[in-house]
Amino acid sequence: MYTQGLDQKQKTDKSAAESEEQLVHFQARVDAEEKIEAKDWMPAAYRQTLVRQISQHAHSEIVGMLPEGNWITRAPTLRRKAILMAKVQDEAGHGLYLYSSAETLGVSRDEMVDQLLTGRAKYSSIFNYPTLSWADIGMIGWLVDGAAIMNQIPLCRCSYGPYARAMVRICKEESFHQRQGFDILVSLSKGSDAQRRMSQASLERWWWPALMMFGPGDADSKHSAQSMAWKIKRFSNDELRQKFVDVTVPQAEHLGLKIPDPDLRWNEETGHYDFGEIDWEEFYQVLKGNGPCNRERLGARRKAHADGAWVREAARAYAAKAKDRQAAA
Ligand code: BYC
């Protein structure tokens, strides 16, 4: 459908066609806060960075349906079940807006899905952890969607128009998701001792993986500097992580939960919470495919893709027939 710049090889080289003048003009547009649109000229590396980030983001939304989908049949009440189904459905919608946004850059949906299923594309590390209790569903809403919002609100101001516009709607829905997670935990906090223990155990499993969602520390983040210069990212990984800790700690206190970090304390001087060292070895192991659920998640996506083959075939056959009918008319 969109074919401009489809040749991946060309995209990786700073093509000879990219004159200094074009690059300077492009950067001036970005600096002036103009939105870059699909048909505008852009450096090949800008296009490639966006395809990488947006497709990873889309895959995260789709894979992110799995840990929560696991609890739809076991939600404690009909109301919670209906809410959870709507939330999981929203995540599918987010994936679809994001795939569409990436397609405007000249990559096909098939290509992106293939990259995910063959393990060449990343998706958020957080979805490689299991949902063992109902409190984990609260924790995903409160912490995972909470971290996602912190990261994604600035993406509504991303320099690439189709991504920025997709993010506006996504952030509105994520904000509802975050509140539903917090609401689950408020209910549990008012419940029995066993329910409070379940929430505490869940926070102990999800806290550190949630902090890892923001990506490597600034010193190790290979893409941040360029992405910030292009105004794709507005804040560094560490800045967003700090903002998240600062807003989340008082919420944990409200829930009567203890964050599993002995080094966590308010720092009067900086006006922020200090927190302990993240286990980066665990993060990189998850990225390499060695997290608790990596194989299960990819297995589920591959099965869904194979089970859906007949739908794609039927759609193709229908489209071919419609084309023939049109040609004959
Ligand atoms: N997990 O140079 P860096 C959701 C990779 S979905 C896996 O800092 P960048 C939700 C990174 O891709 C949440 N990989 O990269 C859904 C890069 O690898 P490559 C998803 C990670 O791009 C359902 C390498 O590490 N949100 O909200 O400047 C239910 C070096 O990193 C991670 C998004 O995708 C990670 N956590 O910054 C509920 C938001 N972190 O590509 C909720 C959009 C880093 O060189 N994405 N890596 O092989 C972003 O904002 C940025 O891409 C990141 C990373 C902040 C994630």
Side-chain angles (χ1 to χ4, degrees):
M1 180 169 39
Y2 299 98
T3 50
Q4 75 270 38
L6 260 176
D7 182 348
Q8 291 287 333
K9 276 216 176 76
Q10 262 180 11
K11 283 188 212 166
T12 48
D13 306 331
K14 193 170 157 195
S15 119
E18 290 186 1
S19 68
E20 199 53 34
E21 197 185 341
Q22 281 175 309
L23 292 170
V24 169
H25 176 68
F26 177 81
Q27 189 62 47
R29 290 191 63 198
V30 168
D31 292 342
E33 299 288 341
E34 275 180 41
K35 286 280 177 262
I36 307 301
E37 298 297 339
K39 290 183 178 167
D40 294 351
W41 186 87
M42 61 186 83
Y46 176 83
R47 186 187 299 279
Q48 196 184 24
T49 291
L50 282 168
V51 168
R52 177 186 64 79
Q53 177 168 327
I54 302 172
S55 63
Q56 285 177 4
H57 192 167
H59 300 325
S60 304
E61 300 283 355
I62 299 298
V63 177
M65 295 164 72
L66 297 169
E68 290 182 288
N70 184 32
W71 277 87
I72 289 175
T73 53
R74 291 177 287 164
T77 66
L78 186 58
R79 182 170 157 269
R80 292 287 186 200
K81 189 197 285 276
I83 294 170
L84 185 58
M85 280 171 68
K87 179 185 191 292
V88 171
Q89 211 168 8
D90 284 352
E91 309 300 357
H94 298 174
L96 299 184
Y97 312 148
L98 289 163
Y99 283 129
S100 299
S101 166
E103 280 181 309
T104 66
L105 290 154
V107 62
S108 73
R109 176 93 52 106
D110 281 350
E111 218 178 309
M112 289 185 274
V113 170
D114 189 59
Q115 285 174 356
L116 172 69
L117 300 183
T118 54
R120 283 174 296 141
K122 292 192 169 75
Y123 57 88
S124 183
S125 49
I126 194 75
F127 300 117
N128 292 305
Y129 291 85
T131 39
L132 305 178
S133 72
W134 174 249
D136 288 0
I137 300 304
M139 225 37 86
I140 290 187
W142 173 42
L143 296 181
V144 175
D145 286 282
I149 294 167
M150 198 53 86
N151 167 284
Q152 292 172 14
I153 293 274
L155 290 174
C156 299
R157 293 190 291 122
C158 164
S159 56
Y160 187 57
Y163 190 25
R165 290 189 289 274
M167 289 316 302
V168 172
R169 179 156 177 188
I170 292 177
C171 283
K172 286 186 179 155
E173 292 177 354
E174 298 291 23
S175 164
F176 165 74
H177 295 168
Q178 194 268 352
R179 281 173 223 181
Q180 69 82 38
F182 194 70
D183 185 62
I184 290 175
L185 294 168
V186 168
S187 296
L188 293 176
S189 75
K190 291 179 185 156
S192 63
D193 281 350
Q195 285 173 318
R196 278 189 288 275
R197 278 198 303 276
M198 178 168 75
S199 297
Q200 182 60 38
S202 174
L203 177 61
E204 285 166 20
R205 280 182 285 111
W206 288 90
W207 176 252
W208 291 105
L211 295 193
M212 293 174 197
M213 283 179 72
F214 295 93
D218 292 353
D220 297 316
S221 167
K222 55 184 172 177
H223 302 296
S224 278
Q226 182 59 74
S227 290
M228 287 174 76
W230 278 329
K231 299 189 192 289
I232 294 171
K233 285 168 87 160
R234 298 278 174 163
F235 296 97
S236 75
N237 298 355
D238 284 335
E239 283 169 338
L240 291 171
R241 193 171 4 251
Q242 182 69 58
K243 281 172 186 272
F244 174 74
V245 171
D246 289 347
V247 301
T248 309
V249 172
Q251 294 170 352
E253 282 162 9
H254 179 81
L255 292 169
L257 295 175
K258 187 166 164 22
I259 291 179
D261 179 356
D263 297 323
L264 183 75
R265 60 184 57 85
W266 177 250
N267 184 329
E268 275 300 340
E269 239 167 75
T270 60
H272 296 288
Y273 284 94
D274 291 336
F275 55 95
E277 185 61 26
I278 290 171
D279 180 353
W280 292 113
E281 178 53 26
E282 176 180 326
F283 173 74
Y284 287 114
Q285 280 302 326
V286 174
L287 259 58
K288 275 192 212 152
N290 300 325
C293 299
N294 293 60
R295 284 169 196 82
E296 188 184 328
R297 299 293 182 239
L298 267 189
R301 287 314 312 157
R302 286 188 189 124
K303 180 175 183 312
H305 193 69
D307 290 350
W310 71 271
V311 180
R312 293 189 298 280
E313 274 163 32
R316 267 194 293 271
Y318 180 80
K321 272 191 200 161
K323 202 171 157 197
D324 288 351
R325 263 199 306 273
Q326 216 176 12

